[in-house]
Amino acid sequence: MTAVRIPTPAAVRLFSARLAPVHVVQAAADADRAEEWLSIPCLPFRPAQMATRERVLAQWHRADKTLAASPLRPEQATEVLS
């Protein structure tokens, strides 16, 4: 069974980006770009394609490590206005 990724709406991404540190927002963008590139089917691989794929995988792993190390909620409490 494969997991299907549901795209996050732009408004939600912008709202969460305001509350997250800059390096976390950058890591999320890097992970999204890497996942898009890795989802493109291209077989058989040439050596140049394999090198590019390895670089993209390394970028995705760095971004995933940053996202895993960051808390899901901001450190400061936010006020809800209703």
Side-chain angles (χ1 to χ4, degrees):
M1 184 169 130
T2 356
V4 177
R5 183 168 178 190
I6 299 172
T8 307
V12 174
R13 277 188 277 134
L14 289 173
F15 178 74
S16 62
R18 288 187 352 195
L19 302 175
V22 175
H23 71 280
V24 174
V25 174
Q26 183 63 40
D30 290 345
D32 285 343
R33 279 194 302 272
E35 287 175 1
E36 286 176 14
W37 196 91
L38 291 172
S39 68
I40 299 171
C42 52
L43 289 175
F45 288 123
R46 294 190 320 254
Q49 286 176 323
M50 284 300 291
T52 303
R53 182 174 175 82
E54 291 298 320
R55 276 195 300 274
V56 171
L57 278 172
Q59 176 186 7
W60 183 81
H61 282 290
R62 279 193 304 272
D64 189 46
K65 190 175 182 180
T66 302
L67 292 173
S70 63
L72 295 177
R73 296 182 180 177
E75 295 174 5
Q76 291 179 323
T78 57
E79 183 179 342
V80 177
L81 301 175
S82 52

